[in-house]
Amino acid sequence: MRLAGPLRIMALVITVAVTWIVVSILLSGLGFPWIQQLFASQENSVTAEPRARKYKCGLPQPCPEEHLAFRVVSGAANVIGPKICLEDRMLMSSVKDNVGRGLNIALVNGVNGDLIEARPFDMWAGDVNDLLKFIRPLHEGTLVFVASYDDPATKMNEETRKLFSDLGSKNVKDLAFRDSWVFVGAKGVQNKSPFEQHMKNSKHTNKYEGWPEALEMEGCIPRRPAAS
């Protein structure tokens, strides 16, 4: 009779041990392979595809040393405003509340990349003389970033087109009512700028009834050497 208690305890221990072994075998994949797959899929979902790294202003690749990273986006129709980003700093955008219909222009120091001034110029109902006073006195090496919004050209005259041409634009001579235009030039350039896009307003190709699609341009601009 005295052995009954120890025997029951021993039987219970053996039962628990056998149960643990059976459960371990089942969970190892013989009985529930979906459990392993579940945890494996969770691990894979976390580590399988790392997000592509973005660099300054969202560029897919970093710029070389002594270059300035930029992205310029024109407005979409007369609804979505333009954006001008330089070295991860938003110089002009609807969020900053410093863009408007016409030409949105940011002047930047070509040596250190500092913003000098940023202003919109209404080219539909504004005074073109305001724009001329803004770009006539530019210093040598000043970078000029331009993004159109709605209508960039109605108020343009020959002097305006000549000034932008001198900054390196090859398309400004053809810029017309409601065209889309993005451009980066500089005072004192010898050749036409490689940073320019232009899309004509045409009822046959427009994305938004009376407007072409928005233009987006990005790249790296070499800094101007500091004067010795």
Side-chain angles (χ1 to χ4, degrees), residues 4 7 9 27 33 54 57 65 88 105 110-111 142 159 173 178 180 187 203 216:
L7 288 174
I9 294 173
L27 292 180
K54 294 293 185 181
C57 292
E65 290 187 14
D88 251 3
I105 304 176
V111 176
T142 301
E159 183 181 0
K173 64 182 185 299
R178 286 186 175 178
S180 289
K187 179 70 173 180
K203 64 181 181 179
E216 183 171 345

Side-chain angles (χ1 to χ4, degrees), residues 44-118:
N44 291 338
S45 66
V46 173
T47 60
E49 291 293 336
R51 291 183 179 180
R53 182 177 177 183
K54 294 293 185 181
Y55 297 87
K56 291 179 179 179
C57 292
L59 269 64
Q61 298 291 335
C63 288
E65 290 187 14
E66 299 304 318
H67 282 66
L68 302 170
F70 78 90
R71 182 188 297 275
V72 180
V73 185
S74 69
N78 61 346
V79 179
I80 302 174
K83 297 178 182 178
I84 299 177
C85 175
L86 181 70
E87 287 289 284
D88 251 3
R89 294 171 293 148
M90 195 62 70
L91 305 184
M92 302 188 77
S93 70
S94 296
V95 174
K96 292 181 69 68
D97 195 26
N98 64 347
V99 297
R101 177 177 64 183
L103 295 177
N104 295 270
I105 304 176
L107 305 181
V108 172
N109 185 311
V111 176
N112 55 28
D114 289 345
L115 176 65
I116 299 170
E117 191 173 0

Side-chain angles (χ1 to χ4, degrees), residues 19-208:
T19 301
W20 181 84
I21 292 171
V22 171
V23 171
S24 298
I25 293 173
L26 291 174
L27 292 180
S28 69
L30 294 178
F32 300 98
W34 61 272
I35 294 179
Q36 285 186 324
Q37 294 173 2
L38 176 63
F39 285 101
S41 64
Q42 287 179 343
E43 289 182 4
N44 291 338
S45 66
V46 173
T47 60
E49 291 293 336
R51 291 183 179 180
R53 182 177 177 183
K54 294 293 185 181
Y55 297 87
K56 291 179 179 179
C57 292
L59 269 64
Q61 298 291 335
C63 288
E65 290 187 14
E66 299 304 318
H67 282 66
L68 302 170
F70 78 90
R71 182 188 297 275
V72 180
V73 185
S74 69
N78 61 346
V79 179
I80 302 174
K83 297 178 182 178
I84 299 177
C85 175
L86 181 70
E87 287 289 284
D88 251 3
R89 294 171 293 148
M90 195 62 70
L91 305 184
M92 302 188 77
S93 70
S94 296
V95 174
K96 292 181 69 68
D97 195 26
N98 64 347
V99 297
R101 177 177 64 183
L103 295 177
N104 295 270
I105 304 176
L107 305 181
V108 172
N109 185 311
V111 176
N112 55 28
D114 289 345
L115 176 65
I116 299 170
E117 191 173 0
R119 285 182 57 188
F121 295 90
D122 189 341
M123 301 304 289
W124 168 254
D127 186 349
V128 70
N129 288 307
D130 293 336
L131 173 58
L132 291 172
K133 292 174 184 176
F134 190 69
I135 58 177
R136 274 176 186 152
L138 297 182
H139 295 293
E140 193 84 2
T142 301
L143 297 175
V144 182
F145 294 79
V146 184
S148 68
Y149 184 26
D150 189 358
D151 174 30
T154 295
K155 290 286 185 173
M156 272 202 172
N157 56 21
E158 287 305 312
E159 183 181 0
T160 310
R161 296 179 192 274
K162 172 77 164 55
L163 287 171
F164 279 115
S165 181
D166 291 343
L167 294 171
S169 172
K170 58 182 176 292
N171 297 130
V172 69
K173 64 182 185 299
D174 300 317
L175 197 64
F177 175 66
R178 286 186 175 178
D179 287 358
S180 289
W181 185 44
V182 289
F183 166 66
V184 182
K187 179 70 173 180
V189 296
Q190 301 301 315
N191 302 306
K192 293 303 180 183
S193 171
F195 303 117
E196 183 174 27
Q197 293 182 21
H198 175 218
M199 184 167 289
K200 298 293 292 182
N201 166 26
S202 169
K203 64 181 181 179
H204 302 295
T205 58
N206 280 350
K207 183 175 182 179
Y208 315 101

